[in-house]
Amino acid sequence: MADRSFSDMSLATLYDTLNPWGPGDDFYLDLVLSARSVLDVGCGTGRLLGRAREAGHEGRLCGLDPAAAMLVQARGRTSAEWVLGDLSATHWEREFDLVVMTGHAFQVLLGDEQVRDSLAAIRRALTDDGRFVFETRNPAARAWEHWTPGHVREVTDAQGAAVRVWHEVETPVAPERVTFTETFDHPGWEQHRVSRSTLRFLDRAALDGFLTEAGFIVTERFGDWGRGPLTPTAPEIITIARPDGRF
Ligand SMILES: C[S@@+](CC[C@H](N)C(=O)[O-])C[C@H]1O[C@@H](n2cnc3c(N)ncnc32)[C@H](O)[C@@H]1O
């Protein structure tokens, strides 16, 4: 099941509060600022492209996301192209010199065919010398073991209300996929809101298999946002890939 939380308007307005700007965003912002035309797949509330525009990016900035509530946030933020949908409905050809998937958006691609079709669409959308940059959580680091009701986060929303959020892994971990709930407790709501999601955790070898099949070469690989190496227990698998020239 895809992530549903972002189709709920009140949860979409909380997204940036719950996910404050961090080192990963700085990593991507540098790349965006040095590219002429950028496609952000799963752009969410649009804050990466918004920051790039504020920082003076004058080229093409395009955000794609299937969650209308997230794009409402993005459209209120800055001037860029905001496209509702996913890669299956797009027909860009050699239009972007950078495609990014940030905030672990790649992990919402659950089936092999969805991964293959998405990578093929990204390959088509890229110029021949373009780059595709994305990150996934390293399955060996087993991040989901910390997604327990005991780890409650409390944040203050834009109106000053204290919102409590916790996760719970719902099923035993199936091969590569983790299903979990995220529960939101807001003093202004009569009931908790619960969103249920599944994320796929592909390891390095599986990722490389899909990328090679789709016509990409991995040119750089990091295990954290400080550009450290991908060690067995590094938290992230951060990938910079280029078209291999076959297509
Ligand atoms: C965790 S959020 C990341 C948002 C943003 N990239 C960020 O870093 O803040 C994942 C985003 O992926 C979007 N999404 C879900 N399914 C998708 C799909 N099939 N293709 C592209 N984006 C998708 C969700 O709507 C959501 O906005």
Side-chain angles (χ1 to χ4, degrees):
M1 177 182 297
D3 196 322
R4 279 185 180 161
S5 61
F6 308 114
S7 56
D8 180 314
M9 187 62 81
S10 12
L11 299 187
T13 59
L14 277 175
Y15 182 86
D16 287 348
T17 307
L18 287 167
N19 299 279
W21 187 270
D25 301 290
D26 286 329
F27 177 95
Y28 284 107
L29 183 60
D30 283 348
L31 294 166
V32 171
L33 290 175
S34 60
R36 292 178 301 272
S37 51
V38 182
L39 172 63
D40 182 356
V41 177
C43 64
T45 61
R47 64 184 179 180
L48 175 66
L49 299 186
R51 284 271 188 118
R53 194 63 95 206
E54 282 165 25
H57 193 286
E58 292 179 348
R60 182 176 181 192
L61 298 175
C62 180
L64 174 73
D65 201 290
M70 295 293 257
L71 283 190
V72 167
Q73 309 296 314
R75 290 192 172 117
R77 188 190 288 278
T78 196
S79 71
E81 291 168 53
W82 301 114
V83 180
L84 180 65
D86 61 27
L87 287 162
S88 66
T90 63
H91 302 283
W92 289 300
E93 288 205 22
R94 292 183 162 81
E95 294 184 38
F96 299 98
D97 57 3
L98 176 67
V99 176
V100 296
M101 289 187 82
T102 74
H104 306 106
F106 191 85
Q107 291 188 247
V108 307
L109 306 175
L110 297 182
D112 287 359
E113 282 315 302
Q114 196 182 15
V115 172
R116 287 196 181 101
D117 291 349
S118 299
L119 288 174
I122 290 167
R123 174 66 193 87
R124 276 195 302 276
L126 272 176
T127 56
D128 291 340
D129 60 352
R131 288 191 289 179
F132 173 42
V133 186
F134 68 103
E135 89 284 359
T136 59
R137 296 178 186 86
N138 181 3
R142 306 179 70 83
W144 60 84
E145 290 181 351
H146 303 285
W147 300 350
T148 65
H151 289 85
V152 179
R153 280 192 61 204
E154 190 166 309
V155 295
T156 306
D157 75 5
Q159 285 70 44
V163 185
R164 297 171 69 247
V165 186
W166 61 92
H167 295 81
E168 185 162 15
V169 174
E170 193 180 82
T171 55
V173 176
E176 296 179 351
R177 292 167 186 81
V178 177
T179 298
F180 61 99
T181 56
E182 191 170 9
T183 303
F184 300 81
D185 173 26
H186 187 293
W189 299 342
E190 282 183 12
Q191 292 184 326
H192 294 165
R193 297 203 180 157
V194 181
S195 92
R196 184 169 178 270
S197 309
T198 301
L199 295 176
R200 187 167 185 184
F201 288 71
L202 288 169
D203 65 17
R204 175 191 198 140
L207 275 175
D208 287 353
F210 282 118
L211 287 164
T212 302
E213 188 185 339
F216 285 100
I217 296 173
V218 174
T219 56
E220 288 177 274
R221 184 70 38 75
F222 307 111
D224 60 54
W225 297 114
R227 295 180 173 253
L230 175 56
T231 61
T233 54
E236 306 286 350
I237 304 176
I238 301 164
T239 301
I240 300 183
R242 284 189 184 280
D244 65 8
R246 274 190 290 147
F247 298 105

mmCIF file of all heavy atoms in Angstrom, residues 71-116:
data_model
loop_
_atom_site.group_PDB
_atom_site.id
_atom_site.type_symbol
_atom_site.label_atom_id
_atom_site.label_comp_id
_atom_site.label_asym_id
_atom_site.label_seq_id
_atom_site.Cartn_x
_atom_site.Cartn_y
_atom_site.Cartn_z
ATOM 1 N N LEU A 71 0.596 19.143 -2.925
ATOM 2 C CA LEU A 71 0.811 20.152 -3.968
ATOM 3 C C LEU A 71 0.120 21.473 -3.630
ATOM 4 O O LEU A 71 0.575 22.530 -4.067
ATOM 5 C CB LEU A 71 0.326 19.628 -5.324
ATOM 6 C CG LEU A 71 1.251 18.624 -6.012
ATOM 7 C CD1 LEU A 71 0.787 18.381 -7.438
ATOM 8 C CD2 LEU A 71 2.701 19.071 -6.019
ATOM 9 N N VAL A 72 -0.949 21.430 -2.834
ATOM 10 C CA VAL A 72 -1.574 22.681 -2.380
ATOM 11 C C VAL A 72 -0.540 23.486 -1.587
ATOM 12 O O VAL A 72 -0.401 24.700 -1.759
ATOM 13 C CB VAL A 72 -2.822 22.395 -1.519
ATOM 14 C CG1 VAL A 72 -3.290 23.651 -0.792
ATOM 15 C CG2 VAL A 72 -3.940 21.843 -2.377
ATOM 16 N N GLN A 73 0.226 22.803 -0.733
ATOM 17 C CA GLN A 73 1.288 23.486 0.031
ATOM 18 C C GLN A 73 2.342 24.039 -0.935
ATOM 19 O O GLN A 73 2.797 25.173 -0.804
ATOM 20 C CB GLN A 73 1.989 22.521 0.996
ATOM 21 C CG GLN A 73 1.076 21.723 1.905
ATOM 22 C CD GLN A 73 0.310 22.625 2.844
ATOM 23 O OE1 GLN A 73 0.874 23.525 3.444
ATOM 24 N NE2 GLN A 73 -0.985 22.400 2.937
ATOM 25 N N ALA A 74 2.728 23.210 -1.913
ATOM 26 C CA ALA A 74 3.782 23.621 -2.847
ATOM 27 C C ALA A 74 3.350 24.841 -3.651
ATOM 28 O O ALA A 74 4.118 25.791 -3.821
ATOM 29 C CB ALA A 74 4.126 22.456 -3.782
ATOM 30 N N ARG A 75 2.100 24.816 -4.146
ATOM 31 C CA ARG A 75 1.637 25.915 -5.010
ATOM 32 C C ARG A 75 1.581 27.234 -4.264
ATOM 33 O O ARG A 75 1.726 28.295 -4.852
ATOM 34 C CB ARG A 75 0.272 25.571 -5.597
ATOM 35 C CG ARG A 75 0.378 24.466 -6.612
ATOM 36 C CD ARG A 75 -0.894 24.279 -7.432
ATOM 37 N NE ARG A 75 -0.639 23.326 -8.493
ATOM 38 C CZ ARG A 75 -1.236 22.149 -8.628
ATOM 39 N NH1 ARG A 75 -2.178 21.796 -7.766
ATOM 40 N NH2 ARG A 75 -0.912 21.335 -9.604
ATOM 41 N N GLY A 76 1.356 27.164 -2.941
ATOM 42 C CA GLY A 76 1.311 28.395 -2.167
ATOM 43 C C GLY A 76 2.688 28.944 -1.866
ATOM 44 O O GLY A 76 2.849 30.021 -1.294
ATOM 45 N N ARG A 77 3.713 28.193 -2.237
ATOM 46 C CA ARG A 77 5.067 28.521 -1.786
ATOM 47 C C ARG A 77 5.864 29.331 -2.798
ATOM 48 O O ARG A 77 6.477 30.328 -2.476
ATOM 49 C CB ARG A 77 5.798 27.195 -1.531
ATOM 50 C CG ARG A 77 7.127 27.312 -0.878
ATOM 51 C CD ARG A 77 7.806 25.969 -0.926
ATOM 52 N NE ARG A 77 7.243 24.973 -0.040
ATOM 53 C CZ ARG A 77 7.534 24.878 1.254
ATOM 54 N NH1 ARG A 77 8.349 25.717 1.824
ATOM 55 N NH2 ARG A 77 7.002 23.923 1.981
ATOM 56 N N THR A 78 5.872 28.897 -4.050
ATOM 57 C CA THR A 78 6.791 29.532 -4.989
ATOM 58 C C THR A 78 6.371 29.282 -6.422
ATOM 59 O O THR A 78 5.520 28.444 -6.694
ATOM 60 C CB THR A 78 8.215 28.982 -4.778
ATOM 61 O OG1 THR A 78 9.142 29.843 -5.397
ATOM 62 C CG2 THR A 78 8.381 27.598 -5.341
ATOM 63 N N SER A 79 6.998 29.991 -7.353
ATOM 64 C CA SER A 79 6.667 29.776 -8.759
ATOM 65 C C SER A 79 7.549 28.670 -9.328
ATOM 66 O O SER A 79 8.765 28.790 -9.385
ATOM 67 C CB SER A 79 6.854 31.070 -9.546
ATOM 68 O OG SER A 79 8.208 31.356 -9.667
ATOM 69 N N ALA A 80 6.904 27.575 -9.656
ATOM 70 C CA ALA A 80 7.546 26.441 -10.308
ATOM 71 C C ALA A 80 6.413 25.700 -10.999
ATOM 72 O O ALA A 80 5.251 26.046 -10.814
ATOM 73 C CB ALA A 80 8.239 25.539 -9.280
ATOM 74 N N GLU A 81 6.744 24.687 -11.805
ATOM 75 C CA GLU A 81 5.671 23.853 -12.369
ATOM 76 C C GLU A 81 5.340 22.798 -11.328
ATOM 77 O O GLU A 81 6.234 22.066 -10.889
ATOM 78 C CB GLU A 81 6.171 23.129 -13.625
ATOM 79 C CG GLU A 81 6.445 24.001 -14.808
ATOM 80 C CD GLU A 81 7.209 23.208 -15.879
ATOM 81 O OE1 GLU A 81 6.754 22.131 -16.281
ATOM 82 O OE2 GLU A 81 8.283 23.677 -16.264
ATOM 83 N N TRP A 82 4.092 22.706 -10.944
ATOM 84 C CA TRP A 82 3.695 21.666 -9.982
ATOM 85 C C TRP A 82 2.731 20.730 -10.692
ATOM 86 O O TRP A 82 1.655 21.142 -11.121
ATOM 87 C CB TRP A 82 3.028 22.291 -8.748
ATOM 88 C CG TRP A 82 3.920 23.268 -8.036
ATOM 89 C CD1 TRP A 82 3.732 24.600 -7.916
ATOM 90 C CD2 TRP A 82 5.146 22.976 -7.334
ATOM 91 N NE1 TRP A 82 4.770 25.174 -7.201
ATOM 92 C CE2 TRP A 82 5.642 24.204 -6.827
ATOM 93 C CE3 TRP A 82 5.876 21.816 -7.097
ATOM 94 C CZ2 TRP A 82 6.831 24.286 -6.096
ATOM 95 C CZ3 TRP A 82 7.060 21.905 -6.369
ATOM 96 C CH2 TRP A 82 7.521 23.120 -5.879
ATOM 97 N N VAL A 83 3.120 19.472 -10.826
ATOM 98 C CA VAL A 83 2.347 18.529 -11.633
ATOM 99 C C VAL A 83 1.776 17.450 -10.716
ATOM 100 O O VAL A 83 2.511 16.793 -9.972
ATOM 101 C CB VAL A 83 3.244 17.886 -12.714
ATOM 102 C CG1 VAL A 83 2.448 16.898 -13.555
ATOM 103 C CG2 VAL A 83 3.868 18.969 -13.592
ATOM 104 N N LEU A 84 0.455 17.270 -10.793
ATOM 105 C CA LEU A 84 -0.216 16.252 -9.977
ATOM 106 C C LEU A 84 -0.142 14.914 -10.702
ATOM 107 O O LEU A 84 -0.590 14.802 -11.842
ATOM 108 C CB LEU A 84 -1.678 16.660 -9.761
ATOM 109 C CG LEU A 84 -2.527 15.703 -8.926
ATOM 110 C CD1 LEU A 84 -2.035 15.636 -7.484
ATOM 111 C CD2 LEU A 84 -3.994 16.122 -8.963
ATOM 112 N N GLY A 85 0.425 13.907 -10.065
ATOM 113 C CA GLY A 85 0.476 12.585 -10.683
ATOM 114 C C GLY A 85 1.761 11.866 -10.325
ATOM 115 O O GLY A 85 2.515 12.304 -9.457
ATOM 116 N N ASP A 86 1.944 10.725 -10.987
ATOM 117 C CA ASP A 86 3.209 10.012 -10.793
ATOM 118 C C ASP A 86 3.854 9.781 -12.153
ATOM 119 O O ASP A 86 3.331 10.201 -13.186
ATOM 120 C CB ASP A 86 3.003 8.711 -10.008
ATOM 121 C CG ASP A 86 2.082 7.748 -10.730
ATOM 122 O OD1 ASP A 86 2.004 7.808 -11.978
ATOM 123 O OD2 ASP A 86 1.425 6.941 -10.062
ATOM 124 N N LEU A 87 4.990 9.097 -12.158
ATOM 125 C CA LEU A 87 5.775 8.996 -13.387
ATOM 126 C C LEU A 87 5.051 8.232 -14.488
ATOM 127 O O LEU A 87 5.353 8.406 -15.665
ATOM 128 C CB LEU A 87 7.119 8.331 -13.076
ATOM 129 C CG LEU A 87 8.110 9.223 -12.317
ATOM 130 C CD1 LEU A 87 9.202 8.377 -11.677
ATOM 131 C CD2 LEU A 87 8.725 10.265 -13.260
ATOM 132 N N SER A 88 4.065 7.402 -14.112
ATOM 133 C CA SER A 88 3.384 6.598 -15.133
ATOM 134 C C SER A 88 2.583 7.475 -16.088
ATOM 135 O O SER A 88 2.243 7.049 -17.184
ATOM 136 C CB SER A 88 2.469 5.565 -14.473
ATOM 137 O OG SER A 88 1.422 6.227 -13.794
ATOM 138 N N ALA A 89 2.262 8.691 -15.665
ATOM 139 C CA ALA A 89 1.424 9.562 -16.500
ATOM 140 C C ALA A 89 2.229 10.674 -17.167
ATOM 141 O O ALA A 89 1.649 11.619 -17.692
ATOM 142 C CB ALA A 89 0.309 10.160 -15.643
ATOM 143 N N THR A 90 3.551 10.556 -17.153
ATOM 144 C CA THR A 90 4.360 11.657 -17.690
ATOM 145 C C THR A 90 5.045 11.251 -19.001
ATOM 146 O O THR A 90 5.275 10.065 -19.247
ATOM 147 C CB THR A 90 5.450 12.084 -16.686
ATOM 148 O OG1 THR A 90 6.335 10.986 -16.475
ATOM 149 C CG2 THR A 90 4.835 12.519 -15.373
ATOM 150 N N HIS A 91 5.340 12.236 -19.831
ATOM 151 C CA HIS A 91 5.942 11.951 -21.145
ATOM 152 C C HIS A 91 7.093 12.905 -21.432
ATOM 153 O O HIS A 91 7.250 13.371 -22.549
ATOM 154 C CB HIS A 91 4.873 12.060 -22.237
ATOM 155 C CG HIS A 91 3.725 11.137 -21.997
ATOM 156 N ND1 HIS A 91 3.777 9.789 -22.251
ATOM 157 C CD2 HIS A 91 2.508 11.365 -21.457
ATOM 158 C CE1 HIS A 91 2.640 9.225 -21.898
ATOM 159 N NE2 HIS A 91 1.849 10.159 -21.407
ATOM 160 N N TRP A 92 7.898 13.218 -20.401
ATOM 161 C CA TRP A 92 9.022 14.115 -20.632
ATOM 162 C C TRP A 92 10.125 13.377 -21.385
ATOM 163 O O TRP A 92 10.435 12.225 -21.063
ATOM 164 C CB TRP A 92 9.570 14.618 -19.294
ATOM 165 C CG TRP A 92 8.653 15.577 -18.597
ATOM 166 C CD1 TRP A 92 8.216 16.775 -19.069
ATOM 167 C CD2 TRP A 92 8.078 15.421 -17.288
ATOM 168 N NE1 TRP A 92 7.398 17.377 -18.126
ATOM 169 C CE2 TRP A 92 7.297 16.574 -17.032
ATOM 170 C CE3 TRP A 92 8.147 14.430 -16.309
ATOM 171 C CZ2 TRP A 92 6.597 16.761 -15.846
ATOM 172 C CZ3 TRP A 92 7.443 14.612 -15.125
ATOM 173 C CH2 TRP A 92 6.682 15.768 -14.902
ATOM 174 N N GLU A 93 10.724 14.040 -22.347
ATOM 175 C CA GLU A 93 11.832 13.427 -23.094
ATOM 176 C C GLU A 93 13.031 14.348 -23.123
ATOM 177 O O GLU A 93 12.958 15.446 -23.678
ATOM 178 C CB GLU A 93 11.396 13.121 -24.527
ATOM 179 C CG GLU A 93 10.449 11.958 -24.547
ATOM 180 C CD GLU A 93 10.431 11.211 -25.861
ATOM 181 O OE1 GLU A 93 11.414 11.292 -26.631
ATOM 182 O OE2 GLU A 93 9.420 10.552 -26.100
ATOM 183 N N ARG A 94 14.104 13.911 -22.494
ATOM 184 C CA ARG A 94 15.379 14.660 -22.471
ATOM 185 C C ARG A 94 15.177 16.132 -22.110
ATOM 186 O O ARG A 94 15.717 17.021 -22.747
ATOM 187 C CB ARG A 94 16.091 14.552 -23.813
ATOM 188 C CG ARG A 94 16.586 13.158 -24.116
ATOM 189 C CD ARG A 94 17.344 13.126 -25.433
ATOM 190 N NE ARG A 94 18.166 11.928 -25.548
ATOM 191 C CZ ARG A 94 17.708 10.730 -25.911
ATOM 192 N NH1 ARG A 94 16.426 10.573 -26.202
ATOM 193 N NH2 ARG A 94 18.524 9.697 -25.985
ATOM 194 N N GLU A 95 14.404 16.385 -21.061
ATOM 195 C CA GLU A 95 14.082 17.770 -20.699
ATOM 196 C C GLU A 95 14.789 18.260 -19.444
ATOM 197 O O GLU A 95 14.820 19.451 -19.182
ATOM 198 C CB GLU A 95 12.570 17.906 -20.491
ATOM 199 C CG GLU A 95 11.792 17.702 -21.771
ATOM 200 C CD GLU A 95 10.302 17.925 -21.609
ATOM 201 O OE1 GLU A 95 9.913 18.835 -20.868
ATOM 202 O OE2 GLU A 95 9.541 17.153 -22.227
ATOM 203 N N PHE A 96 15.312 17.339 -18.619
ATOM 204 C CA PHE A 96 15.865 17.745 -17.323
ATOM 205 C C PHE A 96 17.315 17.277 -17.221
ATOM 206 O O PHE A 96 17.632 16.144 -17.572
ATOM 207 C CB PHE A 96 15.048 17.142 -16.174
ATOM 208 C CG PHE A 96 13.612 17.592 -16.182
ATOM 209 C CD1 PHE A 96 12.613 16.793 -16.746
ATOM 210 C CD2 PHE A 96 13.252 18.827 -15.658
ATOM 211 C CE1 PHE A 96 11.294 17.220 -16.781
ATOM 212 C CE2 PHE A 96 11.929 19.262 -15.684
ATOM 213 C CZ PHE A 96 10.950 18.453 -16.246
ATOM 214 N N ASP A 97 18.173 18.142 -16.691
ATOM 215 C CA ASP A 97 19.545 17.664 -16.473
ATOM 216 C C ASP A 97 19.755 17.190 -15.040
ATOM 217 O O ASP A 97 20.831 16.692 -14.702
ATOM 218 C CB ASP A 97 20.622 18.656 -16.937
ATOM 219 C CG ASP A 97 20.521 20.006 -16.294
ATOM 220 O OD1 ASP A 97 19.661 20.186 -15.431
ATOM 221 O OD2 ASP A 97 21.311 20.882 -16.662
ATOM 222 N N LEU A 98 18.716 17.291 -14.218
ATOM 223 C CA LEU A 98 18.760 16.677 -12.891
ATOM 224 C C LEU A 98 17.358 16.186 -12.537
ATOM 225 O O LEU A 98 16.386 16.937 -12.640
ATOM 226 C CB LEU A 98 19.228 17.703 -11.844
ATOM 227 C CG LEU A 98 19.238 17.225 -10.391
ATOM 228 C CD1 LEU A 98 20.295 16.139 -10.170
ATOM 229 C CD2 LEU A 98 19.495 18.386 -9.426
ATOM 230 N N VAL A 99 17.266 14.912 -12.133
ATOM 231 C CA VAL A 99 16.034 14.378 -11.535
ATOM 232 C C VAL A 99 16.389 13.923 -10.133
ATOM 233 O O VAL A 99 17.401 13.237 -9.937
ATOM 234 C CB VAL A 99 15.456 13.202 -12.353
ATOM 235 C CG1 VAL A 99 14.239 12.602 -11.642
ATOM 236 C CG2 VAL A 99 15.066 13.647 -13.763
ATOM 237 N N VAL A 100 15.592 14.331 -9.148
ATOM 238 C CA VAL A 100 15.846 13.905 -7.764
ATOM 239 C C VAL A 100 14.605 13.231 -7.195
ATOM 240 O O VAL A 100 13.478 13.507 -7.611
ATOM 241 C CB VAL A 100 16.250 15.100 -6.851
ATOM 242 C CG1 VAL A 100 17.567 15.711 -7.299
ATOM 243 C CG2 VAL A 100 15.151 16.153 -6.787
ATOM 244 N N MET A 101 14.843 12.327 -6.259
ATOM 245 C CA MET A 101 13.773 11.789 -5.404
ATOM 246 C C MET A 101 14.303 11.902 -3.983
ATOM 247 O O MET A 101 15.238 11.188 -3.610
ATOM 248 C CB MET A 101 13.425 10.341 -5.758
ATOM 249 C CG MET A 101 12.692 10.212 -7.074
ATOM 250 S SD MET A 101 12.101 8.533 -7.423
ATOM 251 C CE MET A 101 10.559 8.472 -6.480
ATOM 252 N N THR A 102 13.728 12.793 -3.191
ATOM 253 C CA THR A 102 14.259 13.106 -1.860
ATOM 254 C C THR A 102 13.294 12.640 -0.770
ATOM 255 O O THR A 102 12.158 12.254 -1.051
ATOM 256 C CB THR A 102 14.471 14.628 -1.720
ATOM 257 O OG1 THR A 102 13.197 15.259 -1.562
ATOM 258 C CG2 THR A 102 15.171 15.220 -2.933
ATOM 259 N N GLY A 103 13.763 12.711 0.471
ATOM 260 C CA GLY A 103 12.892 12.331 1.596
ATOM 261 C C GLY A 103 12.479 10.866 1.523
ATOM 262 O O GLY A 103 11.383 10.511 1.940
ATOM 263 N N HIS A 104 13.368 10.013 0.960
ATOM 264 C CA HIS A 104 13.116 8.579 0.812
ATOM 265 C C HIS A 104 11.906 8.282 -0.067
ATOM 266 O O HIS A 104 11.265 7.235 0.074
ATOM 267 C CB HIS A 104 12.980 7.896 2.184
ATOM 268 C CG HIS A 104 14.152 8.144 3.082
ATOM 269 N ND1 HIS A 104 14.102 8.998 4.159
ATOM 270 C CD2 HIS A 104 15.424 7.675 3.036
ATOM 271 C CE1 HIS A 104 15.286 9.044 4.748
ATOM 272 N NE2 HIS A 104 16.112 8.261 4.089
ATOM 273 N N ALA A 105 11.570 9.227 -0.958
ATOM 274 C CA ALA A 105 10.395 9.027 -1.821
ATOM 275 C C ALA A 105 10.544 7.766 -2.677
ATOM 276 O O ALA A 105 9.543 7.122 -3.017
ATOM 277 C CB ALA A 105 10.180 10.250 -2.705
ATOM 278 N N PHE A 106 11.776 7.392 -3.025
ATOM 279 C CA PHE A 106 11.981 6.191 -3.859
ATOM 280 C C PHE A 106 11.389 4.944 -3.183
ATOM 281 O O PHE A 106 10.967 4.005 -3.849
ATOM 282 C CB PHE A 106 13.483 5.994 -4.111
ATOM 283 C CG PHE A 106 13.802 4.964 -5.155
ATOM 284 C CD1 PHE A 106 13.827 5.296 -6.501
ATOM 285 C CD2 PHE A 106 14.081 3.654 -4.795
ATOM 286 C CE1 PHE A 106 14.115 4.337 -7.473
ATOM 287 C CE2 PHE A 106 14.366 2.692 -5.750
ATOM 288 C CZ PHE A 106 14.385 3.033 -7.092
ATOM 289 N N GLN A 107 11.358 4.960 -1.846
ATOM 290 C CA GLN A 107 10.900 3.761 -1.129
ATOM 291 C C GLN A 107 9.394 3.533 -1.222
ATOM 292 O O GLN A 107 8.904 2.479 -0.816
ATOM 293 C CB GLN A 107 11.332 3.833 0.342
ATOM 294 C CG GLN A 107 12.839 3.692 0.495
ATOM 295 C CD GLN A 107 13.262 3.573 1.947
ATOM 296 O OE1 GLN A 107 13.913 4.458 2.481
ATOM 297 N NE2 GLN A 107 12.880 2.494 2.602
ATOM 298 N N VAL A 108 8.649 4.504 -1.765
ATOM 299 C CA VAL A 108 7.207 4.264 -1.952
ATOM 300 C C VAL A 108 6.962 3.403 -3.187
ATOM 301 O O VAL A 108 5.845 2.941 -3.401
ATOM 302 C CB VAL A 108 6.377 5.573 -2.047
ATOM 303 C CG1 VAL A 108 6.654 6.492 -0.873
ATOM 304 C CG2 VAL A 108 6.597 6.283 -3.373
ATOM 305 N N LEU A 109 7.984 3.186 -4.007
ATOM 306 C CA LEU A 109 7.840 2.328 -5.186
ATOM 307 C C LEU A 109 7.954 0.883 -4.709
ATOM 308 O O LEU A 109 9.033 0.438 -4.321
ATOM 309 C CB LEU A 109 8.914 2.659 -6.227
ATOM 310 C CG LEU A 109 8.997 4.141 -6.645
ATOM 311 C CD1 LEU A 109 10.178 4.374 -7.580
ATOM 312 C CD2 LEU A 109 7.692 4.612 -7.282
ATOM 313 N N LEU A 110 6.848 0.173 -4.714
ATOM 314 C CA LEU A 110 6.817 -1.111 -4.005
ATOM 315 C C LEU A 110 7.081 -2.325 -4.896
ATOM 316 O O LEU A 110 7.785 -3.242 -4.506
ATOM 317 C CB LEU A 110 5.462 -1.280 -3.307
ATOM 318 C CG LEU A 110 5.148 -0.244 -2.229
ATOM 319 C CD1 LEU A 110 3.800 -0.546 -1.579
ATOM 320 C CD2 LEU A 110 6.249 -0.182 -1.171
ATOM 321 N N GLY A 111 6.498 -2.351 -6.088
ATOM 322 C CA GLY A 111 6.622 -3.550 -6.930
ATOM 323 C C GLY A 111 7.765 -3.419 -7.914
ATOM 324 O O GLY A 111 8.172 -2.309 -8.280
ATOM 325 N N ASP A 112 8.270 -4.563 -8.376
ATOM 326 C CA ASP A 112 9.369 -4.527 -9.356
ATOM 327 C C ASP A 112 8.969 -3.742 -10.605
ATOM 328 O O ASP A 112 9.764 -2.962 -11.142
ATOM 329 C CB ASP A 112 9.754 -5.952 -9.771
ATOM 330 C CG ASP A 112 10.509 -6.686 -8.678
ATOM 331 O OD1 ASP A 112 10.745 -6.087 -7.603
ATOM 332 O OD2 ASP A 112 10.851 -7.865 -8.898
ATOM 333 N N GLU A 113 7.739 -3.955 -11.084
ATOM 334 C CA GLU A 113 7.316 -3.258 -12.309
ATOM 335 C C GLU A 113 7.238 -1.756 -12.084
ATOM 336 O O GLU A 113 7.574 -0.960 -12.956
ATOM 337 C CB GLU A 113 5.964 -3.792 -12.818
ATOM 338 C CG GLU A 113 6.074 -5.112 -13.545
ATOM 339 C CD GLU A 113 7.240 -5.152 -14.541
ATOM 340 O OE1 GLU A 113 7.270 -4.307 -15.451
ATOM 341 O OE2 GLU A 113 8.124 -6.019 -14.405
ATOM 342 N N GLN A 114 6.777 -1.359 -10.881
ATOM 343 C CA GLN A 114 6.690 0.075 -10.583
ATOM 344 C C GLN A 114 8.093 0.695 -10.544
ATOM 345 O O GLN A 114 8.313 1.794 -11.039
ATOM 346 C CB GLN A 114 5.972 0.279 -9.245
ATOM 347 C CG GLN A 114 5.486 1.694 -9.037
ATOM 348 C CD GLN A 114 4.818 1.903 -7.682
ATOM 349 O OE1 GLN A 114 4.952 1.075 -6.776
ATOM 350 N NE2 GLN A 114 4.121 3.012 -7.548
ATOM 351 N N VAL A 115 9.044 -0.041 -9.966
ATOM 352 C CA VAL A 115 10.429 0.460 -9.936
ATOM 353 C C VAL A 115 10.963 0.571 -11.368
ATOM 354 O O VAL A 115 11.526 1.594 -11.767
ATOM 355 C CB VAL A 115 11.328 -0.472 -9.090
ATOM 356 C CG1 VAL A 115 12.794 -0.073 -9.214
ATOM 357 C CG2 VAL A 115 10.893 -0.448 -7.627
ATOM 358 N N ARG A 116 10.757 -0.501 -12.166
ATOM 359 C CA ARG A 116 11.269 -0.500 -13.561
ATOM 360 C C ARG A 116 10.648 0.628 -14.385
ATOM 361 O O ARG A 116 11.339 1.360 -15.083
ATOM 362 C CB ARG A 116 10.940 -1.829 -14.239
ATOM 363 C CG ARG A 116 11.772 -2.958 -13.753
ATOM 364 C CD ARG A 116 11.696 -4.165 -14.692
ATOM 365 N NE ARG A 116 12.513 -5.208 -14.131
ATOM 366 C CZ ARG A 116 12.034 -6.255 -13.441
ATOM 367 N NH1 ARG A 116 10.733 -6.419 -13.275
ATOM 368 N NH2 ARG A 116 12.868 -7.133 -12.924
#
